[in-house]
Amino acid sequence: MTRRHDIDALRIIAFALLILYHTAMAYVGEWGFHLKGSFTTDALQWPMRLLNGWRMSLLFLISGVAIALTRNRLQRGRFILKRTGRLLLPLAFGMFVVVPIQPYCEGVSRGMVAPGFWEFLLRYWQVRPWPEGSFAGDRFGITWNHLWYLAYLWVYTTILAIALPVLDSAPLRSASRRFANAPGWMLTGLPALLLLLWLVWLAPSYPATNTLVDDVHQHAKYGTVFLAGYLLGREPRFWERVEALRWATLATVLGAVAWYLFLEALGRWLPPASPLRQWPEPFWRLQSQYCEVVYSWGMLLTLLGWGKHCLDRPFPWLPYCTEAIYPWYVLHQSLMIAVLFWLKPMQLGPWMEPALVLLGTVGGCLLLHELLIRRSRWLRPLFGLKSSVR
């Protein structure tokens, strides 16, 4: 099968946005994070909310699509073994070697960990519970922080591989083919209804934890998107449809955002005596929630459609960046928090500090990948790359 350059490009864009998002998390007001900057601002909340609605879903969707596009080249058992090595080896290495600087900085900033990284590391490697409040994941004794995506993706990939005889059966192939040919409103609205069901039914009882074992709502949401990527990504007609509907899905996304803002404005500005105030609160909440899921799924379709239209070509930077994104993903948050921990006491101000944090993160990823990781056949597998040096 011809390589889909748009999928590679979208994956690169998604991980680049992840670096920006995690940097901004240090400065967005009233949102918790492992380490906050020397200042915060509520002005970042709306851009972050808009990005947060689809950023991780895009990664899981693309992962499902990538499996669909390479499925015919892989045997099931070999596929599971290959994915296990590519996902769990970097996860384990990251948890024990790359991530520890994050809980150290977090614990020191909270006054729960004594300064001295090597002493902390020896204690951390014992994988014993820490005092409550030391850092995110202290009750487990060890944390994967931003690498949770690898654990979740391995679980979804393994389940999908086991279920391939069912997923590749004639009835399901026929159903996915028919859905790919469905009217545009169904292509957008029906998956959004399923996501709405998870949001209404599961989210209140199961808030996001990123701990795998008790993260029911996120499993339902990301598992659905991942499966949709596999089932629809293998249908040529689906790609024709999302490209043809790219303007319509974009309009749907903008409409969902506009209606959500309208509902928020109504709730804030309606006088208490207004007849609209008499409508039951669940009626308004359900509308807002449906706007959220239509926005999220609509953005995914829009990105796939515009990606297919604009990015499916062999850009010169694609091969290098496609290889680099995995090491950058593993490294970026640890570098970011380490740089912020060092800069924060200097009180450099609301422009200089985040700029230097971002520059230090990107520069560190670039140097470590280019000068060390990609040139070492021993380090490459620990960062998700093939052992052969290119």
Side-chain angles (χ1 to χ4, degrees):
M1 182 179 291
T2 304
R3 189 171 186 91
R4 287 286 301 277
H5 304 294
D6 54 317
I7 299 302
D8 290 336
L10 284 174
R11 186 187 292 110
I12 292 165
I13 292 169
F15 278 109
L17 288 173
L18 190 65
I19 294 175
L20 290 174
Y21 181 87
H22 284 155
T23 303
M25 279 295 294
Y27 299 100
V28 62
E30 300 182 8
W31 290 20
F33 193 54
H34 306 290
L35 182 66
K36 302 298 281 189
S38 60
F39 78 99
T40 60
T41 173
D42 293 343
L44 284 173
Q45 287 188 10
W46 257 105
M48 295 284 280
R49 287 177 67 184
L50 290 173
L51 184 58
N52 200 36
W54 52 266
R55 62 183 184 89
M56 290 307 302
S57 292
L58 177 62
L59 288 175
F60 283 106
L61 181 77
I62 289 175
S63 297
V65 168
I67 294 174
L69 295 177
T70 59
R71 167 71 184 95
N72 294 333
R73 301 203 302 264
L74 296 171
Q75 296 178 347
R76 186 163 47 146
R78 182 166 172 256
F79 173 69
I80 293 176
L81 288 174
K82 183 177 179 181
R83 296 294 283 182
T84 296
R86 190 151 191 255
L87 293 172
L88 295 191
L89 182 59
L91 175 61
F93 177 78
M95 290 173 66
F96 281 92
V97 179
V98 179
V99 168
I101 189 64
Q102 299 183 45
Y104 171 74
C105 293
E106 184 177 358
V108 171
S109 68
R110 293 181 178 185
M112 299 293 293
V113 171
F117 179 66
W118 297 113
E119 292 80 4
F120 167 84
L121 192 60
L122 290 175
R123 165 70 171 81
Y124 177 86
W125 281 343
Q126 297 174 33
V127 194
R128 291 188 289 114
W130 291 73
E132 184 177 356
S134 296
F135 53 83
D138 49 29
R139 63 191 174 105
F140 301 106
I142 193 169
T143 183
W144 51 40
N145 279 10
H146 67 293
L147 300 182
W148 66 269
Y149 165 72
L150 300 180
Y152 283 51
L153 183 58
W154 179 80
V155 171
Y156 301 160
T157 301
T158 303
I159 293 174
L160 184 144
I162 294 171
L164 279 177
V166 176
L167 298 177
D168 291 347
S169 64
L172 267 183
R173 286 303 303 259
S174 177
S176 59
R177 193 172 298 116
R178 287 199 304 272
F179 186 72
N181 279 286
W185 66 268
M186 290 182 65
L187 205 59
T188 304
L190 291 185
L193 281 175
L194 183 57
L195 294 173
L196 177 64
L197 174 63
W198 305 145
L199 180 62
V200 172
W201 178 32
L202 298 175
S205 301
Y206 300 99
T209 65
N210 296 343
T211 59
L212 188 66
V213 292
D214 57 354
D215 209 3
V216 178
H217 173 241
Q218 290 211 127
H219 283 314
K221 177 175 67 172
Y222 294 137
T224 297
V225 171
F226 175 77
L227 181 60
Y230 178 78
L231 293 177
L232 295 175
R234 62 190 180 180
E235 303 297 337
R237 180 63 177 153
F238 172 73
W239 297 105
E240 296 174 8
R241 297 297 310 291
V242 292
E243 184 175 10
L245 292 169
R246 65 189 185 279
W247 285 108
T249 53
L250 177 59
T252 301
V253 165
L254 296 176
V257 172
W259 189 251
Y260 183 90
L261 293 175
F262 174 70
L263 292 174
E264 281 210 341
L266 278 181
R268 188 178 299 115
W269 294 327
L270 272 180
S274 169
L276 289 175
R277 286 281 192 184
Q278 310 310 311
W279 288 74
E281 192 271 339
F283 170 78
W284 300 107
R285 185 173 66 249
L286 193 62
Q287 287 192 64
S288 295
Q289 290 172 323
Y290 191 57
C291 286
E292 288 182 44
V293 294
V294 168
Y295 166 73
S296 177
W297 179 250
M299 272 299 300
L300 298 181
L301 295 180
T302 301
L303 290 167
L304 291 181
W306 281 101
K308 186 70 174 70
H309 186 72
C310 301
L311 300 175
D312 194 11
R313 59 199 68 182
F315 296 102
W317 47 267
L318 264 182
Y320 181 86
C321 291
T322 298
E323 181 190 67
I325 54 173
Y326 205 154
W328 281 51
Y329 163 68
V330 173
L331 292 168
H332 80 276
Q333 188 165 289
S334 291
L335 288 171
M336 188 207 81
I337 287 179
V339 173
L340 176 59
F341 185 76
W342 177 59
L343 290 176
K344 185 176 179 178
M346 301 181 188
Q347 297 289 314
L348 297 175
W351 296 104
M352 182 67 73
E353 182 181 290
L356 289 177
V357 169
L358 183 60
L359 182 63
T361 303
V362 172
C365 289
L366 177 64
L367 291 174
L368 287 172
H369 169 250
E370 176 61 30
L371 300 180
L372 188 63
I373 296 168
R374 73 184 297 255
R375 301 176 187 277
S376 169
R377 60 185 294 262
W378 303 107
L379 283 176
R380 288 174 64 89
L382 299 176
F383 288 89
L385 306 179
K386 296 178 179 178
S387 58
S388 56
V389 180
R390 296 182 180 182

